Amino acid sequence: DGNVVMGISVGSEILYRGEVSRTQGLEYVDQVRALLLRSNNDTASTIPVTITDIDKIYVQHNASLVSDLDFSSVNAFPFFDPKFAGQNAKDGAIDYLLECIDPIINETTKQNKMFFLTETGWPCAGTECGTPTCAVASPDDQLSYFIDFYCKFHVARPDLQYFWFNGFDAAWRRLQDASQFSVEGHFGIFDEHGEIKRHFQDLSFKCPEYSGDVVYRMPEL
């Protein structure tokens, strides 16, 4: 139903991982567009198509990639960036996130297209992340990133769309990575059993520089 489908992403981080070339990726995008046009459904034929990839790929290809896609779909994680190796979320992670994605937002806006931050977050546990240059994973760091993101992005940039990574811990990610110490299974606000994590329980805070005395409180569940 095209009324509930916001868009279609042809792969996730496939350019970053080198699974396909940019040319091949865009060929797949055109194939999906053609399929939607052949659907004989007026709504489906208008569904936008993109490639979701990391911020550095969008910056690397600059305006041309934004131009080739119907909207910009960006995953951005300061946690995995070498700039934050061994550092904490409070060491300016959200400011760095905005520094990385603002050029993409500006170019996307310039081309009158939509920007989506499709993944961002911070893990609360784990010591292995697939690279030797990750930041510190802890409950305090996850909470710090969440609060700063809420204030500096959700409140301060209400015109931008985003998806928080992740709602629930994914135990299968630790199995997939073949390491019980992988950070990949620890990005959730809830644990793998559906229980809200202790450091998010009864959470409340203010964003005085953006929303005055408005207080954020974790909804009762």
Side-chain angles (χ1 to χ4, degrees):
D1 186 341
N3 291 316
V4 296
V5 177
M6 299 174 64
I8 295 175
S9 176
V10 180
S12 177
E13 302 183 5
I14 55 176
L15 302 183
Y16 166 66
R17 291 194 296 267
E19 296 173 351
V20 299
S21 66
R22 171 181 166 161
T23 299
Q24 188 175 16
L26 292 175
E27 287 176 355
Y28 291 154
V29 167
D30 285 338
Q31 289 176 22
V32 173
R33 286 170 173 155
L35 182 64
L36 293 171
L37 287 172
R38 292 199 304 270
S39 68
N40 294 320
N41 182 307
D42 291 340
T43 303
S45 66
T46 63
I47 294 174
V49 185
T50 193
I51 295 175
T52 298
D53 225 300
I54 67 170
D55 52 299
K56 288 177 173 57
I57 291 295
Y58 269 84
V59 171
Q60 175 186 332
H61 293 283
N62 204 359
S64 60
L65 184 59
V66 174
S67 178
D68 287 330
L69 302 171
D70 296 332
F71 63 98
S72 297
S73 178
V74 178
N75 296 344
F77 290 87
F79 176 82
F80 291 108
D81 196 292
K83 178 180 175 68
F84 274 86
Q87 295 192 52
N88 301 99
K90 66 182 179 181
D91 296 328
I94 294 300
D95 292 333
Y96 182 66
L97 169 73
L98 295 172
E99 179 184 324
C100 291
I101 65 175
D102 269 341
I104 309 167
I105 294 171
N106 293 338
E107 183 57 42
T108 304
T109 302
K110 182 180 176 181
Q111 296 192 31
N112 295 313
K113 296 183 178 182
M114 290 286 292
F115 172 89
F116 287 85
L117 180 59
T118 37
E119 287 185 11
T120 195
W122 198 283
C124 69
T127 57
E128 296 182 13
C129 63
T131 77
T133 57
C134 290
V136 176
S138 74
D140 286 345
D141 286 288
Q142 185 178 51
L143 191 60
S144 176
Y145 192 81
F146 178 88
I147 293 173
D148 284 352
F149 181 85
Y150 184 87
C151 291
K152 295 182 178 181
F153 194 97
H154 178 85
V155 175
R157 313 284 286 272
D159 54 316
L160 299 178
Q161 306 291 323
Y162 70 90
F163 297 90
W164 180 261
F165 185 91
N166 205 353
F168 295 84
D169 278 354
W172 63 268
R173 291 301 300 268
R174 297 196 294 276
L175 297 175
Q176 180 189 58
D177 293 349
S179 171
Q180 62 177 320
F181 302 108
S182 172
V183 300
E184 292 290 354
H186 297 286
F187 277 84
I189 294 173
F190 296 82
D191 66 22
E192 61 198 69
H193 305 295
E195 299 293 330
I196 191 166
K197 293 177 180 177
R198 182 174 299 177
H199 51 285
F200 282 110
Q201 293 176 6
D202 302 320
L203 176 64
S204 68
F205 59 88
K206 293 182 180 181
C207 305
E209 64 272 50
Y210 302 109
S211 59
D213 292 330
V214 176
V215 178
Y216 170 88
R217 289 187 175 85
M218 185 63 72
E220 293 185 9
L221 303 168

